[in-house]
């Protein structure tokens, strides 16, 4: 007869495995064609598990932001689904968005509010109303904002300081999934490094993070998966293990070069026709 | 969620420099308009009392009632100073004769013509023109400004429904900005008794409704602008559209409606009518000339009896002419008034497309300075004319004093000055103000339209946001 404790332990392990296997963010056959006929996403399939960072790489117009916009229900997909913690974000967006935090490329908060007032508003908006001032201060300290800035109005903040506030809001929301839209773009190297470290910590806490970025080196450094998007299509996908020893920059450029050649051919063709 | 967004909006407005500046400007303008209104009322009242006394003194200096020239004046009202309407455009003084047509002379602009160009800065002007513009300045980037800055996207990355967001934003903006108006309005109201303007409970109630209408008017412009902001992507575009809408609502539609109605309903001008009336009067007089020429008395009649007979004869002719003139003028006036009213009704109906016209009509009606003021004043004057006519008939034996007057004085040689008349016997003129219930009844359509505009614009802003591209 098996030991009761051992049985419980096994059951918990199985449950953890099941949880581990369920993606917190999933794009399933996601396609978006705009009214003017432009195909922004073409049958995109992505899964981000708990405790994973997925970096979407790609040039401008590759479909990275479109993917995030669909996850946040800012636009509707033409076909396919985007799931947050198993909830279709387009059919039940309010429920789905309870499970996700978002940090944009250029976090903008209310300029007439102080950092703490902004954090208080956005955290409450995210459904958390039981925090104290000290919790907000701890979160801001954790993201590296100096305490003198807590009660300063946002209009005086640099981009880096605003990004820190944005990530503090995401931390306090404590959602299982996080969407980051080019979060390190425009940050100085030090701020970028600090930001990357924080993302890593959040991953270690079990968050599923989907990040769009142009920063190949940072993507390789912290991501568990890297996907390269080209014209809305996922043209390459590698795990961190697969990337070991691979020159990601070269891989990326190869795919982008292929895209460029194709575009140049189209241009030549168009010029010939004209 | 609604409460959270409402409080955020309120705090954001109250902490903005835009609010501080607007609050300062609104306070200055509103308090100044109350102060100027009170000063105007008090000086108007003093002027009215002085003119009344002067009229009394002139009458009291007469020795015969027959020689009396009596004028009545439109008494100033406190609300007329706060919402001037047409009160400065209509004649204030009417010379009352026992019979005949009355006409009001001497408008406020006769004394101060500069105001005819620049007009007065009353509450109607401040709400109608300035605060409606402030609403646009405040709200033109309410939605698209948040989109451009990125806060909208951050808000909606949370579990927030569009309905609660826009409802909270509309309510928060309205309450926040209303604070900038309510405080100076309350200070203005408190200033009135301090400055010596004592309003009756009826007048306080009217003022209260006027101020609520003002807030509703401000609210509809706010909602309209938020709606425009929720239909455009750039704040510069929504500001431009808001400004164009404002120009049409405030400046063009009210004037255009008068112009269009003038084209659609033709009304003979006053000169044509006066000329027609004069022709008729001359014709009647010409008809009477042979009768006058044929006047005779038996030979040997005493001279003073001849004069008496002649006076009686002329009076009879004059009375008959006056009666015929009255009938004719009544008929022609009625035609004119009917046409004029038809034209006015059309102009008012057309102008109600604009919320500014609706607001003006509602507030002037409540303040008693609408177009009806002139009619009420003339009606009161005509009622008084009847009383005056009866009084003069009792005093002189003849109330009708149109045309020429022949006064026969007899004197003795005693050298005593004849006694002056007792002017206090003259009946008092009482201006019939519109009662609160009748004013409220007449302004009901416009108050209803103000509410309707609010519902439409708040609803419009709400539904526009439901379809807004949040990216």
């Amino acid at each position: 007869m098996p030991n009761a404790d051992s049985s419980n332990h096994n059951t918990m392990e199985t449950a953890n495995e099941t949880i581990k296997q369920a993606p917190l963010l999933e794009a399933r056959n996601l396609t978006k064609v705009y009214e003017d006929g432009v195909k922004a996403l073409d049958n995109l399939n992505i899964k981000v598990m708990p405790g994973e960072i997925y970096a979407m790489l790609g040039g401008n117009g590759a479909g990275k932001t479109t993917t995030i916009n669909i996850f946040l229900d800012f636009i509707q997909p033409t076909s396919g689904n985007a799931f947050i913690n198993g909830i279709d974000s387009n059919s039940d967006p309010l429920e789905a968005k309870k499970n996700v935090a978002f940090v944009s490329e250029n976090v903008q908060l209310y300029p007439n509010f102080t950092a703490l007032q902004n954090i208080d508003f956005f955290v409450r908006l995210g459904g958390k109303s039981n925090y104290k001032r000290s919790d907000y201060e701890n979160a801001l300290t954790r993201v590296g904002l100096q305490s003198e800035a807590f009660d300063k109005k946002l209009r005086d903040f640099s981009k880096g300081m605003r990004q820190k506030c944005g990530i503090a809001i995401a931390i306090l929301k404590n959602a299982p999934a996080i969407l980051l839209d080019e979060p390190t773009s425009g940050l100085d190297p030090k701020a970028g490094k600090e930001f990357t470290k924080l993302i890593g910590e959040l991953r270690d806490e079990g968050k599923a993070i989907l990040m769009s970025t142009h920063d190949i080196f940072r993507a390789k450094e912290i991501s568990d998966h890297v996907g390269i998007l080209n014209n809305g299509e996922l043209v390459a996908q590698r795990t961190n293990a697969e990337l070991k020893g691979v020159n990601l920059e070269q891989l990326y450029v190869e795919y982008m070069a292929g895209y460029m050649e194709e575009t140049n051919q189209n241009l030549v063709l168009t010029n010939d026709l004209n | 969620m609604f409460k959270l967004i409402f409080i955020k909006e309120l705090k954001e407005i109250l902490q903005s420099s835009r609010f501080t500046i607007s609050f300062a400007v609104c306070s200055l303008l509103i308090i100044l308009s109350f102060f100027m209104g009170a000063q105007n009322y008090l000086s108007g009242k003093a002027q009215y009392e002085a003119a009344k006394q002067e009229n009394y003194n002139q009458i009291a200096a007469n020795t015969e009632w027959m020689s009396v020239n009596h004028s009545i004046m439109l008494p100033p009202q406190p609300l007329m100073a706060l919402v001037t309407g047409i009160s400065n455009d209509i004649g204030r003084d009417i010379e009352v004769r026992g019979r005949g047509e009355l006409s009001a002379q001497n408008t406020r602009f006769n004394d101060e013509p500069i105001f005819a160009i620049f007009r007065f800065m009353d509450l109607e002007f401040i709400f109608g023109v300035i605060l409606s513009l402030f609403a646009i300045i405040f709200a033109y980037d309410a939605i698209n400004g948040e989109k451009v800055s990125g806060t909208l996207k951050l808000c909606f990355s949370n579990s927030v429904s569009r309905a609660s967001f826009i409802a909270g934003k509309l309510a928060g903006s309205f309450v926040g900005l209303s604070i900038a108006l309510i405080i100076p309005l309350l200070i203005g109201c408190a200033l009135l008794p301090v400055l010596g303007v004592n309003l009756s409970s009826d007048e306080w109630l009217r003022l209260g409704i006027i101020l609520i209408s003002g807030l509703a008017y401000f609210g509809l412009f706010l909602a309209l602008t938020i709606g425009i902001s929720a239909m455009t992507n750039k704040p510069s575009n929504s500001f431009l559209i808001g400004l164009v809408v404002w120009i049409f609502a405030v400046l063009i539609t009210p004037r255009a409606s008068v112009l269009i109605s003038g084209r659609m309903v033709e009304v003979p001008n006053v000169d044509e009518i006066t000329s027609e009336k004069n022709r008729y009067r001359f014709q009647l007089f010409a008809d009477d000339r042979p009768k006058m020429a044929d006047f005779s008395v038996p030979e040997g009649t005493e001279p003073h009896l001849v004069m008496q007979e002649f006076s009686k004869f002329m009076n009879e002719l004059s009375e008959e002419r006056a009666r015929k003139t009255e009938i004719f003028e009544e008929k022609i006036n009625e035609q004119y008034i009917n046409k004029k009213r038809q034209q006015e009704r059309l102009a008012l109906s057309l102008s109600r497309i604009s919320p500014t016209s609706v607001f003006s009509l509602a507030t002037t009606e409540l303040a008693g300075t609408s177009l009806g003021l002139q009619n009420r004043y003339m009606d009161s004057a005509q009622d008084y004319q009847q009383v005056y006519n009866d009084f003069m008939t009792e005093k002189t034996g003849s109330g009708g004093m149109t045309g020429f007057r022949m006064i026969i004085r007899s004197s003795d040689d005693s050298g005593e000055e004849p006694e002056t008349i007792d002017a206090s016997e003259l009946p008092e003129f009482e201006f019939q103000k519109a009662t609160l219930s009748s004013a409220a009844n007449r302004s009901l359509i416009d108050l209803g339209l103000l509410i309707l505009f609010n519902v439409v614009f708040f609803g419009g802003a709400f539904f526009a946001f439901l379809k807004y591209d949040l990216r």
Side-chain angles (χ1 to χ4, degrees), chain A residues 190-256:
Chain A
K190 185 174 172 278
K193 200 172 170 62
E194 285 171 3
F195 198 86
T196 311
K197 187 172 163 264
L198 260 168
I199 304 290
E201 286 172 15
L202 291 171
R203 182 251 319 269
D204 295 344
E205 287 168 17
K207 312 285 185 202
I209 298 166
L210 177 63
M211 174 173 76
S212 82
T213 184
H214 287 119
D215 192 337
I216 298 164
F217 304 106
R218 200 149 278 140
K220 190 183 174 187
E221 186 188 334
I222 61 161
S223 304
D224 299 285
H225 289 89
V226 172
I228 300 175
L229 270 80
N230 186 8
N231 275 348
E233 209 177 329
L234 187 67
V235 289
Q237 188 169 229
R238 301 281 187 277
T239 63
N240 190 272
E242 286 167 346
L243 285 174
K244 274 186 184 141
V246 174
N247 186 340
L248 180 59
E249 187 184 14
Q250 198 182 338
L251 185 75
Y252 177 73
V253 169
E254 273 171 17
Y255 277 105
M256 295 313 288

Side-chain angles (χ1 to χ4, degrees), chain B residues 278-288:
Chain B
N278 285 341
R279 270 204 308 276
Y280 186 74
R281 268 199 292 270
F282 285 130
Q283 182 60 46
L284 285 180
F285 195 75
D287 291 349
D288 277 352

Side-chain angles (χ1 to χ4, degrees), chain B residues 70 384 387-388 391 423-429:
Chain B
H70 177 37
Y384 180 72
V387 176
Y388 180 73
F391 174 78
S424 66
E425 285 182 55
L426 206 63
E428 274 286 317
F429 167 66

